[in-house]
Each structure stands twice: as structure tokens, then as C-alpha cells.
Amino acid sequence: MIKSTSHGRRTATVLAAAAATAVGVGLVASPASAATAWESLSLPPVTYAKNSVLPFDGQNAYVKNVRLCTDECTFSPTLWQKTGTVWKQVPTPSDAEVGVLAGTGVNDLWVFGSRYAPTGSYRFNHYDGTKWTSNLNPEPKNAEVLDAQAVSRNDVWAVGNYRDGVGGWHPMATHWNGSSWKTTKLTGISGEFNAVDVNSPTDVWAVGYRRKDGGHQPLAMHYDGTAWSEVPVHETPGERYVLSEVISKGPNDAWVAAGSKVSHWNGKTWTRHDTPASWPRFAYRGGQLYAGLAASPKLVRWNGSAWVTETPPTEGIQVDQLTTTPDGSLYAVHSEGNSFSPKSYLSRLAPPAAP
């Protein structure tokens, strides 16, 4: 299923990678036979911008495009639709900026964003390929979405934070069943969810952080179709340890990341398998886990015991996003430059050949 694009974990400008000295880093060369040529694809014709992509297949996709300023200026994110090789700009909702994208096709797009106001205002908008249905958020002053995933038109999950009106933030998850949103507020926890991964209505993971002892510690929770349960991650007191990425194959097989700290859940315990550079972006291709990184090596794959280097997209110095489409293709957004003059690229890796 297609992973979302997010203004947090999948579109933020990533920093230079940490050195590969953290616990559990393993890195070996990948066999040459594993390498496959990346296909370079076009992006919307906007210079000095960061892009995040929501692809559906080889012909159709949406892209959120954020131009960055070199002086006192502001640019609102723009939204583009790809049909074949042609990009066209899509008018955005009038009541909010484009934040997180999720959807199942060009006629089924969700946009979660904010409308600037003294009290805060968070919008859920849907685009059917022609028109917008706006402000579907049942609690627009409280529920902020930081990541989302659409499983089908009638099964969409979004996570973020719920603001209680007295200065408190709490993790929040909300689900669209085709007609309405049902929101779960974890008011007993101070913190937020940054990322979500959905396998089925009874198998959902959400990760982020909880405020504890004046700092931030990891928060990982699983939903079994009835209730959310915490799966405690080993803490590092005195450090800012915020989970920003999650991917799973089921309730007993999940990966989470914070910086270069990467942990795997096997149903009983977490085991550290840190990546050689920071900010991994996870995706599965052919049943194997890939991670795009913020520095060299730009792309690694988990071989069951260690991270092995893979042939990365040619351009850029870092991978900002990985996502897999239903046909098994792996898409990467990669970039170079600094925060004042970024340049983004889009590449596709075809599905692996059938055995």
C-alpha cells in the first residue's frame, strides 16, 4: 500500500548524517546482482523547492512542492498532479495550506493542513479529481495531523496530536470509515504521534514521543482493532529520543527509527540495528526492507543480519522519501543543496523480477 507524504517525517529538510558509531551498526557491500538501474522522472517545473510525492502507478501521482526563500518572503506549498509525463498545478483548498497527503488515486486525495489563526485551526480536505470537499475535521481547533495512510477509499488513518486547550498536547489517531472520522485521544500521555503504518483494520502502528522528566522519550503503540497498547521502546534518559518513522509487516514485525537509532520488534523484544547514516526513510520492495538515508551511503537494505549498501539514485546527496506503489515499484525523492537553494529529484526502481 502507498505510504503518505508528510510535512514532518517525509518532507522536512534533513540534516547531515551522524557518524556510524551508534550501537548495532552493520554495513557490508551488496552483491552486484542486486543492483538495478534507477529511472529518472520529471518533477513539477519549480526551482529551489523541496518535493514530496504520492505516486499511484507509473502514470499518475501527486506532488507537494514547497519553495524556499532566500530573503524575507513566504511561499505556500503548491499541489501538482501528474498524468503520463505531464504535470499540472491543482488549485489548493481555500481554507488551509497543503500539509500531509494521502490517497488511493487521482480521484481520491486527502490533504491535511492548517489554517493560521490565533487559536489554531486544522483542516481535513478531500479532492475527487475535480473539486474539494473542505473542513471534514470534526474537531478543527484541536486535531493536527502529522502523518496519514490511505488503505482504501473507506479506510484512511491519520495521526498527530490533540491539543487540549490548556497548553497540553496528546497523541491522537483518527480513522475514516467512508462516511465519518472517529478520533482517539490518548489524553493520559503528553506528546504526539509522528508516523503511522497500517497493515489491516486490526494491525496499525503509530510512533512518536512522550514528554517525560522534562525531555522527550520514544513512544510506540499498536492498535489491534479494539484498543491502542504501548509497546515500550528502551529509553535514553537525558537525550531527545523522538521516533519519526515506522514500517511493519504485522504486529510481531515492526521497525522504528529516531535519527540513526533503528530498532526492530519481533513480537517479544526490541533489538537495535542502527543505520550508518541518519534519518532513514523505510520502504519494502520485493519483500525486502530498504532505507534511504541523509548522507552516504544514500540507500541500504536489510539482509536479515546487517544493512548492506545498494545502488542509490544518481543525483543528490540524500534521500528524503521512499515509497512503494501497488505494482511493487520503489520511488525515491532525493535532493542536494542547502536550505536556501535545494534541488529535488524523483527516481523509480522497477519491481524485482519474478523468481
Side-chain angles (χ1 to χ4, degrees):
M1 64 189 61
I2 303 167
K3 293 294 293 182
S4 73
T5 66
S6 162
H7 68 263
R9 67 189 177 115
R10 287 185 168 78
T11 66
T13 301
V14 291
L15 304 176
T21 56
V23 177
V25 171
L27 188 64
V28 297
S30 178
S33 60
T36 304
W38 285 87
E39 175 189 5
S40 295
L41 304 174
S42 67
L43 279 169
V46 181
T47 58
Y48 301 126
K50 298 290 288 185
N51 294 274
S52 55
V53 62
L54 182 66
F56 305 112
D57 52 45
Q59 300 296 311
N60 299 283
Y62 283 107
V63 157
K64 169 187 162 184
N65 180 283
V66 184
R67 290 184 63 190
L68 301 181
C69 293
T70 59
D71 205 342
E72 294 183 3
C73 57
T74 58
F75 291 114
S76 296
T78 56
L79 182 64
W80 297 75
Q81 179 184 338
K82 178 188 177 187
T83 304
T85 60
V86 178
W87 288 100
K88 70 173 183 178
Q89 189 170 352
V90 176
T92 55
S94 60
D95 61 349
E97 286 198 343
V98 176
V100 178
L101 308 184
T104 62
V106 293
N107 62 353
D108 179 32
L109 173 69
W110 287 91
V111 170
F112 306 90
S114 62
R115 178 184 181 185
Y116 294 110
T119 57
S121 188
Y122 306 104
R123 299 298 206 244
F124 296 6
N125 297 317
H126 184 264
Y127 185 62
D128 67 2
T130 303
K131 66 181 183 303
W132 289 98
T133 303
S134 296
N135 197 22
L136 295 168
N137 185 353
E139 300 179 86
K141 293 188 181 299
N142 304 94
E144 180 184 22
V145 168
L146 300 179
D147 194 28
Q149 185 173 343
V151 181
S152 69
R153 299 182 72 94
N154 299 326
D155 189 4
V156 183
W157 289 84
V159 300
N161 62 67
Y162 182 85
R163 306 191 181 190
D164 58 21
V166 292
W169 294 13
H170 308 282
M172 176 275 297
T174 187
H175 178 247
W176 173 257
N177 63 9
S179 59
S180 62
W181 290 93
K182 179 182 178 181
T183 302
T184 301
K185 312 162 197 173
L186 302 175
T187 55
I189 300 174
S190 177
E192 68 182 12
F193 287 138
N194 292 319
V196 65
D197 193 60
V198 185
N199 287 300
S200 75
T202 59
D203 184 15
V204 182
W205 284 87
V207 302
Y209 72 89
R210 61 157 24 98
R211 297 183 186 273
K212 185 175 181 180
D213 300 327
H216 298 72
Q217 294 299 324
L219 176 66
M221 301 193 75
H222 182 263
Y223 181 71
D224 64 4
T226 302
W228 288 92
S229 301
E230 184 171 0
V231 184
V233 178
H234 179 70
E235 298 180 353
T236 55
E239 293 187 21
R240 182 181 174 88
Y241 192 172
V242 176
L243 299 178
S244 59
E245 186 85 355
V246 60
I247 195 167
S248 72
K249 284 187 174 181
N252 298 324
D253 187 357
W255 293 80
V256 299
S260 62
K261 298 186 183 74
V262 174
S263 298
H264 177 247
W265 174 252
N266 65 6
K268 296 181 179 179
T269 60
W270 291 100
T271 305
R272 284 279 292 275
H273 300 291
D274 295 358
T275 47
S278 290
W279 303 109
R281 272 56 173 148
F282 293 137
Y284 280 105
R285 174 180 179 265
Q288 298 190 70
L289 178 65
Y290 286 73
L293 304 176
S296 181
K298 290 187 292 185
L299 187 70
V300 294
R301 175 177 55 84
W302 181 252
N303 71 358
S305 59
W307 293 104
V308 299
T309 57
E310 284 289 339
T311 302
T314 303
E315 299 91 349
I317 61 173
Q318 65 189 32
V319 173
D320 302 321
Q321 179 193 354
L322 283 182
T323 190
T324 308
T325 50
D327 69 355
S329 298
L330 182 66
Y331 286 77
V333 176
H334 40 114
S335 65
E336 63 190 10
N338 56 39
S339 59
F340 298 107
S341 58
K343 185 172 183 180
S344 287
Y345 306 90
L346 176 62
S347 297
R348 172 185 175 269
L349 193 60

